[in-house]
Amino acid sequence: VDGRRGAVVCESTPCDGRATLQVVGGGWHAAAVLLGEQHEGGYTNMTAAAAPFFVNEPLEAPAPAELPEPCSTRRTVVRAIAHDRPMQLQNLLESLAAAEYDGNNIDLEVHVDGAASPASIKGHDEAVEVARRFAWPHGRYDVVERRGNAGPTRHRFESYTPQHCELVAFFEDDVIVARLWHRWLRAADRTAGADVAGFTFQRHWLAPGAYLREARSGPHESKVIGPFAHAWRSEHWEQFLDWFERSPSAEVPGHSFSNAWLGKPDFEHSLWTAFVDRWAWEYGRWFASPPTPDGSALAHNDAGPGLHYKSAKGWDSA
């Protein structure tokens, strides 16, 4: 199925493996099931079977909502979203300070959420210390410390109050940014259409080809935001927050751009991206990604350990 999702290795007998698969459109599909004996040099006695399954066509999207008043120019502000990872936060701040801003004044706020458990108190306090002693050379710099734990959704959504004609870039604390991330953001903002709500510094991910469109400022625009590194146009962020306050549900329609995390019963508390996915689908908004045909990106993260990954998974730009 697209060759992109659902690899499971099960090394016991009997074997109970589960996978989440992503498909391009509705209709009949088939997943390959491979069985074999594992040895040091690989697998032998391999056999295969096809497991067919049917997927309903995606729901028809509503008519796009009215566009907010556009801006001819915007200034950039940055929010670093942190919790209890001081070393990763230090790496993020250093990479942001080393980037090219072409003489532009860039205001940075570091938002450190309160400890989620007694085990994270030490990491929280050390992250606050890292943030407070950092010298930001490109503009105004503030550290906002929460004593209570807000969780990833509320912590992020309350970190920025929309201002007139701004680009607000959000970076999670385990991210390293490329030196030219801001130069690409400014160029993409100048060329993107009015229905582009924001910009993803990761390479394009998750959404099947049927839910992409060609972009003016890169290869693709998608209704899926890159969660660990992205920027919003402030007028769209304001529209999203207004919808978020009124929305009774963040259910993502169909199978088009959801992922395994959205199946978690408490995803509204643990994964804020579900709200953005739903809003982009309802309002007809897009997120542009950089032109990275070689799989590189303008931001990388180390994929844990953190709230969703309990162990480090290595560098990732997906």
Side-chain angles (χ1 to χ4, degrees), residues 180-211:
L180 299 180
W181 75 268
H182 185 254
R183 189 173 294 175
W184 175 79
L185 173 63
R186 295 294 296 268
D189 179 52
R190 287 193 296 268
T191 59
D195 59 353
V196 171
F199 307 89
T200 292
F201 303 116
Q202 304 166 226
R203 67 174 184 259
H204 175 72
W205 74 309
L206 280 182
Y211 298 92

Side-chain angles (χ1 to χ4, degrees), residues 243-256:
W243 171 90
F244 175 69
E245 294 298 327
R246 296 182 285 104
S247 177
S249 169
E251 180 185 358
V252 176
H255 64 279
S256 61

Side-chain angles (χ1 to χ4, degrees), residues 19 28 63 88 165 185 189 217 266 271:
W28 282 100
Q88 289 92 333
C165 289
L185 173 63
D189 179 52
S217 56
D266 63 341
L271 191 70

Side-chain angles (χ1 to χ4, degrees), residues 44-131:
T44 59
N45 298 331
M46 297 295 292
T47 185
F53 60 94
F54 185 82
V55 176
N56 289 328
E57 287 291 345
L59 298 177
E60 184 177 350
E66 182 179 355
L67 290 169
E69 187 70 25
C71 298
S72 57
T73 60
R74 295 179 176 85
R75 66 186 297 269
T76 305
V77 297
V78 178
R79 297 293 184 266
I81 306 300
H83 179 216
D84 62 355
R85 296 182 285 197
M87 182 176 66
Q88 289 92 333
L89 177 59
Q90 179 74 37
N91 293 337
L92 167 64
L93 295 176
E94 290 177 358
S95 71
L96 285 169
E100 297 286 346
Y101 298 106
D102 301 312
N104 292 286
N105 209 54
I106 307 295
D107 294 342
L108 168 61
E109 289 183 9
V110 180
H111 288 251
V112 185
D113 199 5
S117 68
S120 64
I121 292 176
K122 182 176 183 290
H124 162 85
D125 293 344
E126 291 177 353
V128 172
E129 182 181 352
V130 163

